[in-house]
Amino acid sequence: MGVRNYLIEGVSGTGKTSVAAELHRRGHHVVHGDRELAYRGDPRTGEPLGGLGSNQDLADAAFVHQHHLWDVGKVRSLVADRSHPISFFCGGSRNFHHFIDLFDEVFVLNVDLGTLKRRLAERSDDEFGGQPAERKLIMRLHAAKEDIPGNATIIDAAAPLASVVDDILSRCGVTG
């Protein structure tokens, strides 16, 4: 959806949704990937899972995380649309390797462990990371730097939100 397209990734709790909201508030085009592109599917084939999965699967935080995909066709279509000078795709997906090459740059939000724990503790039970098993998984992913794009620009997302967004925009050659 933009002449230039940027992906903003990171583990749950690092601030992707907050960054997206602030970019949008500042007048930038934002695609909320976890809301607009996500579905539960097979991470190898991309095929949607029949139904939502069993109750046991949905109770397994690792299963939910591993099967959180973005619709690759939609991502490609949005990136090909040049009606915006710049677009930010914010969120996480386990199949980013199928479309990461479409982005001008990839940013990974990162926070220290204390900040991550505090943010996750503030989540409601129905938000991913709000349950103890989900928090445990997120802590493991954070420590291992697992499931995030390599060769990305790391952004210190523990800073105040305005500073985080200013940093991202300056790296994109945009002011404000």
Side-chain angles (χ1 to χ4, degrees), residues 96-117:
F96 60 78
H97 56 280
H98 289 295
F99 53 78
I100 197 166
D101 60 314
L102 302 174
F103 293 96
D104 294 284
E105 191 163 357
V106 177
F107 300 105
V108 172
L109 303 181
N110 190 38
V111 296
D112 59 273
L113 187 58
T115 299
L116 183 61
K117 285 181 178 181

Side-chain angles (χ1 to χ4, degrees), residues 109-129:
L109 303 181
N110 190 38
V111 296
D112 59 273
L113 187 58
T115 299
L116 183 61
K117 285 181 178 181
R118 179 183 49 78
R119 289 180 181 177
L120 293 174
E122 295 170 354
R123 291 198 166 185
S124 62
D125 288 347
D126 62 344
E127 185 177 5
F128 193 78

Side-chain angles (χ1 to χ4, degrees), residues 3-23:
V3 173
R4 292 181 295 153
N5 296 282
Y6 298 95
L7 176 62
I8 299 175
E9 254 272 12
V11 299
S12 294
T14 55
K16 299 178 300 290
T17 301
S18 296
V19 166
E22 179 64 12
L23 285 164

Side-chain angles (χ1 to χ4, degrees), residues 15-163:
K16 299 178 300 290
T17 301
S18 296
V19 166
E22 179 64 12
L23 285 164
H24 180 76
R25 188 191 70 73
R26 294 186 189 195
H28 297 285
H29 181 256
V30 175
V31 176
H32 290 269
D34 293 338
R35 296 177 191 160
E36 301 171 37
L37 303 170
Y39 67 100
R40 192 164 286 116
D42 182 314
R44 288 180 299 107
T45 66
E47 289 297 314
L49 294 181
L52 293 176
S54 72
N55 286 339
Q56 182 178 0
D57 288 341
L58 295 177
D60 179 356
F63 177 89
V64 171
H65 173 76
Q66 292 165 352
H67 293 82
H68 181 81
L69 309 180
W70 283 6
D71 183 315
V72 175
K74 286 183 184 176
V75 172
R76 290 187 184 283
S77 177
L78 291 168
V79 167
D81 177 355
R82 300 301 197 193
S83 61
H84 298 279
I86 188 169
S87 292
F88 294 95
F89 290 68
C90 302
S93 79
R94 303 298 48 88
N95 63 335
F96 60 78
H97 56 280
H98 289 295
F99 53 78
I100 197 166
D101 60 314
L102 302 174
F103 293 96
D104 294 284
E105 191 163 357
V106 177
F107 300 105
V108 172
L109 303 181
N110 190 38
V111 296
D112 59 273
L113 187 58
T115 299
L116 183 61
K117 285 181 178 181
R118 179 183 49 78
R119 289 180 181 177
L120 293 174
E122 295 170 354
R123 291 198 166 185
S124 62
D125 288 347
D126 62 344
E127 185 177 5
F128 193 78
Q131 297 290 323
E134 296 164 349
R135 285 193 293 274
K136 183 178 177 181
L137 171 67
I138 293 166
M139 296 300 170
R140 182 179 62 75
L141 295 170
H142 177 265
K145 305 295 183 217
E146 193 176 322
D147 284 345
I148 58 171
N151 299 324
T153 300
I154 305 299
I155 301 292
D156 177 7
L161 180 59
S163 297

